[in-house]
Amino acid sequence: MSGSTEELRRDFEQDLAQIENLDAWKRIRDRWLARESGIITGQMKRLRELPKEERPAFGQSMNLLREFVEDRLGTTRAVMEREALEKSRRHIDVTRPGFPYALGTLHPITRLRQEIELIFVSLGFTVFDLPEVEQDYYNFEALNMPKNHPARDAQDTFYFDENLLLRTHCSSVQVHAMQSMKPPIRAVSTGKVYRRDPFDATHSPMFHQVDVLVVDEGITMGDLKGMLEVFLKRVFHPDIRMRLRPGFFPFVEPGAEVDISCIFCFGAGCRICKESGWIEILGAGMVHPKVLRMSGVDDTRYSGFAWGMGIDRVAILKHGVDDIRLFFENDVRFLKQF
Ligand SMILES: [Zn+2]
């Protein structure tokens, strides 16, 4: 029996010597090792025809042959792969420019959010990261807008149920900050807000806001004005001017609308500022004593100011974009420009 094993071994060596490429290698492997039709399987099938006493020796010699075939095929394949790699290495042109990777960048609104937060961090503020799904209490009730308050109508709200809603502004930071900190409080929060607005050039049902709260002893309108001036000059331009007009928001008293001198015509009058020289930019005011009291702050000892601003509007003005939708349609051709 060992004679025939030797013969098979020689046959296999001859096959092996003819392998020149991977296809040939696969063909030889299948010829010898295929589970159903391979030569070794064919030999094993003869086992039953043999006299009982010869079977163990035959089986063993076939197993040895199988190991030998597998081992040699493995070595041959490894050699072939190494040669192919060497060959491809010789063809690397190190002077060729590399393949460019398309690196993503932060969205312009995200960058502006971070820029604004950094300004406040540098002023010693605590940044609040607040939920977009908010309780009625934080969004309205504690901000002096009880149920049926007309101001609620101005902010067409997405409700989940009686109590849960998509926040309509970031002003809820006032309540969260006063509940979790003791005065002096310097808090800021930026993020997405939602209103049932149409989706057109100047409206979006989702947009971004920044809201700020400062509470301490002896805080006055002068402090509000001073901080706004520092902030707006850093965001827009050191030369811009600012003015406050009376305005109404239920959670502040007194309230103010804040304008900046037009950043396009520097006050001379243009299409963007409708020839007025001013651009309305945010709403502000002294925190309503009722709002302080509802969040457990002693309004006889402390006072504070708060203001909120649309971030998208700032981005539109800074970059001269005329359609808010461009920021949210995520066309890479648009976003790439920032
Ligand atoms: Zn102008």
Side-chain angles (χ1 to χ4, degrees), residues 14-75:
Q14 273 173 16
D15 277 357
L16 205 61
Q18 285 167 19
I19 294 179
E20 275 174 351
N21 54 39
L22 196 59
D23 284 341
W25 181 88
K26 283 178 180 160
R27 209 165 49 242
I28 303 298
R29 180 198 58 190
D30 292 344
R31 181 167 139 80
W32 286 86
L33 296 176
R35 199 172 282 270
E36 293 295 328
S37 56
I39 289 174
I40 292 177
T41 308
Q43 291 291 319
M44 288 302 245
K45 279 176 186 162
R46 285 177 50 212
L47 202 64
R48 260 181 252 144
E49 301 160 15
L50 294 175
K52 215 173 180 181
E53 62 276 14
E54 286 179 21
R55 285 182 196 171
F58 180 79
Q60 201 180 11
S61 68
M62 278 304 140
N63 280 336
L64 282 173
L65 179 66
R66 183 199 299 277
E67 273 171 33
F68 175 74
V69 167
E70 283 172 351
D71 187 49
R72 293 299 300 274
L73 279 170
T75 310

Side-chain angles (χ1 to χ4, degrees), residues 96-145:
R96 253 188 81 168
F99 295 104
Y101 281 96
L103 276 186
T105 54
L106 289 176
H107 192 281
I109 300 285
T110 307
R111 288 228 310 271
L112 190 52
R113 266 182 73 178
Q114 292 182 345
E115 208 179 290
I116 288 170
E117 283 183 2
L118 268 178
I119 292 176
F120 285 102
V121 168
S122 77
L123 294 171
F125 278 62
T126 303
V127 178
F128 278 74
D129 192 12
L130 297 170
E132 290 171 21
V133 175
E134 188 57 281
Q135 293 176 44
D136 184 283
Y137 179 80
Y138 288 94
N139 196 82
F140 289 127
E141 198 93 30
L143 288 170
N144 196 25
M145 281 182 274

Side-chain angles (χ1 to χ4, degrees), residues 67-276:
E67 273 171 33
F68 175 74
V69 167
E70 283 172 351
D71 187 49
R72 293 299 300 274
L73 279 170
T75 310
T76 306
R77 169 124 193 196
V79 169
M80 277 166 56
E81 279 171 351
R82 201 162 53 236
E83 279 174 1
L85 187 67
E86 297 275 307
K87 217 167 149 188
S88 73
R89 274 204 188 124
R90 281 199 291 276
H91 284 92
I92 290 174
D93 177 359
V94 292
T95 63
R96 253 188 81 168
F99 295 104
Y101 281 96
L103 276 186
T105 54
L106 289 176
H107 192 281
I109 300 285
T110 307
R111 288 228 310 271
L112 190 52
R113 266 182 73 178
Q114 292 182 345
E115 208 179 290
I116 288 170
E117 283 183 2
L118 268 178
I119 292 176
F120 285 102
V121 168
S122 77
L123 294 171
F125 278 62
T126 303
V127 178
F128 278 74
D129 192 12
L130 297 170
E132 290 171 21
V133 175
E134 188 57 281
Q135 293 176 44
D136 184 283
Y137 179 80
Y138 288 94
N139 196 82
F140 289 127
E141 198 93 30
L143 288 170
N144 196 25
M145 281 182 274
K147 292 227 163 26
N148 304 319
H149 192 287
R152 287 191 179 208
D153 296 339
Q155 305 186 357
D156 264 338
T157 311
F158 290 107
Y159 283 96
F160 293 98
D161 56 37
E162 285 245 315
N163 180 39
L164 277 186
L165 47 85
L166 283 172
R167 65 179 176 192
T168 59
H169 50 194
C170 277
S171 307
S172 51
V173 67
Q174 297 182 34
V175 190
H176 287 286
M178 284 190 279
Q179 284 187 354
S180 61
M181 298 168 84
K182 286 211 179 318
I185 296 169
R186 288 181 188 80
V188 63
S189 190
T190 69
K192 293 187 175 90
V193 300
Y194 302 84
R195 291 183 197 181
R196 283 165 50 190
D197 279 340
F199 196 38
D200 59 29
T202 52
H203 298 89
S204 164
M206 185 281 296
F207 51 103
H208 300 78
Q209 280 190 345
V210 49
D211 267 76
V212 171
L213 172 75
V214 171
V215 176
D216 202 350
E217 286 181 44
I219 295 287
T220 67
M221 207 73 182
D223 297 306
L224 166 63
K225 216 179 154 192
M227 177 162 286
L228 278 176
E229 205 153 348
V230 168
F231 171 74
L232 292 170
K233 281 178 189 287
R234 272 173 81 168
V235 169
F236 288 101
H237 195 279
D239 293 336
I240 59 139
R241 285 167 297 128
M242 182 188 87
R243 72 175 184 190
L244 271 61
R245 291 177 288 115
F248 173 77
F249 306 98
F251 37 93
V252 287
E253 181 56 40
E257 302 271 8
V258 180
D259 299 337
I260 54 168
S261 53
C262 179
I263 55 171
F264 298 99
C265 63
F266 294 97
C270 70
R271 190 178 56 85
I272 309 281
C273 60
K274 298 188 185 91
E275 307 300 333
S276 71

